[in-house]
Amino acid sequence: ETVLTQSPGVLSLSPGERATLSCRASQSVNSGYLCWYQQKPGQAPRLLISGASGRASGIPDRFSGSGSGTEFTLTISRLEAEDFAVYYCQQSGSSLYTFGQGTKLEIK
Amino acid sequence: EVQLVQSGAQVKKPGESLKISCKGFGYTFTNYWIGWVRQMPGKGLEWMGIIYPDDSDTRYNPSFQGRVTMSADKSIATAYLHWNSLKSSDTAMYYCARHRDRSWFDPWGQGTLVTVSS
């Protein structure tokens, strides 16, 4: 099983600041198989990034993804109020898909 | 617009059976997998498995195999998740999502809340 560990668990920032979220895999993941999702309270998750760096349709360009191998990063360049949510990475590179435990991005 | 619409919330007793549904709109249902994801109260996302509606090929997370059954009826563009005997530990929100093989889950259904309590 490929374990995804996200850090930090909670990130407290202010609107306008830059957010950097990390996702570390227990074994190498083909970057084509790494996605990021956003989940707001009471809502279903929403796809943000696929293939480690490709923004999904309708996702603002302040969201960007990068990384390869075992280290992946989601960056939000300038936080807006609507960006405060929980973020999950997910891999489908092995037959057992897994999600990270999530990073909660909260308003400071 | 591509959309997945799930069946409504359910309250069941331990030992009862349950089938929840996920209906696809706005795309060719048989061209994509449907994935199921569990979210227990206050917790993260857990991948349960995927089904390919065209031929009902399934892939299960071993943690869920034998506890749930995924099925699909392509004639009505609907996927199902079935329990034979519910436990209180099955209390959770269950999401379906369209899945491109070994890639993204998008979009997601609105979720079905299952509550199992005596």
Side-chain angles (χ1 to χ4, degrees), chain B residues 1-117:
Chain B
E1 178 194 4
V2 177
Q3 203 177 181
L4 295 176
V5 178
Q6 297 186 233
S7 49
Q10 297 283 334
V11 180
K12 292 288 190 179
K13 290 181 167 44
E16 292 186 330
S17 64
L18 174 65
K19 181 183 277 190
I20 62 175
S21 67
C22 168
K23 185 172 176 62
F25 295 89
Y27 74 100
T28 302
F29 192 69
T30 50
N31 284 359
Y32 294 86
W33 296 77
I34 292 288
W36 289 95
V37 174
R38 183 176 78 174
Q39 188 167 40
M40 300 179 78
K43 303 298 184 183
L45 305 174
E46 300 174 89
W47 177 72
M48 301 177 71
I50 53 175
I51 183 167
Y52 194 65
D54 192 41
D55 60 5
S56 290
D57 184 20
T58 54
R59 303 176 191 170
Y60 286 93
N61 180 332
S63 296
F64 291 93
Q65 185 139 27
R67 286 284 302 128
V68 296
T69 302
M70 296 180 293
S71 62
D73 185 340
K74 62 183 179 181
S75 69
I76 55 171
T78 301
Y80 302 96
L81 189 62
H82 177 252
W83 291 260
N84 277 326
S85 179
L86 287 159
K87 301 178 180 180
S88 58
S89 57
D90 293 317
T91 294
M93 182 71 81
Y94 293 87
Y95 293 102
C96 66
R98 187 180 68 158
H99 172 59
R100 194 180 80 181
D101 193 20
R102 304 194 77 188
S103 186
W104 40 256
F105 288 92
D106 180 60
W108 294 57
Q110 84 277 19
T112 296
L113 180 62
V114 174
T115 303
V116 184
S117 174

Side-chain angles (χ1 to χ4, degrees), chain A residues 68-108:
Chain A
S68 63
T70 60
E71 300 281 349
F72 297 90
T73 301
L74 175 69
T75 302
I76 311 172
S77 58
R78 292 172 307 280
L79 285 167
E80 297 194 5
E82 66 201 43
D83 300 335
F84 292 92
V86 180
Y87 292 83
Y88 295 94
C89 56
Q90 174 256 322
Q91 68 80 26
S92 50
S94 62
S95 59
L96 175 53
Y97 296 178
T98 50
F99 288 91
Q101 84 282 13
T103 289
K104 182 179 181 180
L105 179 55
E106 63 176 28
I107 299 176
K108 188 173 182 179

Side-chain angles (χ1 to χ4, degrees), chain A residues 37-59:
Chain A
Y37 300 86
Q38 176 194 66
Q39 187 178 33
K40 297 180 180 179
Q43 296 186 16
R46 177 174 72 146
L47 175 68
L48 295 176
I49 301 287
S50 64
S53 60
R55 269 190 307 278
S57 177
I59 301 303

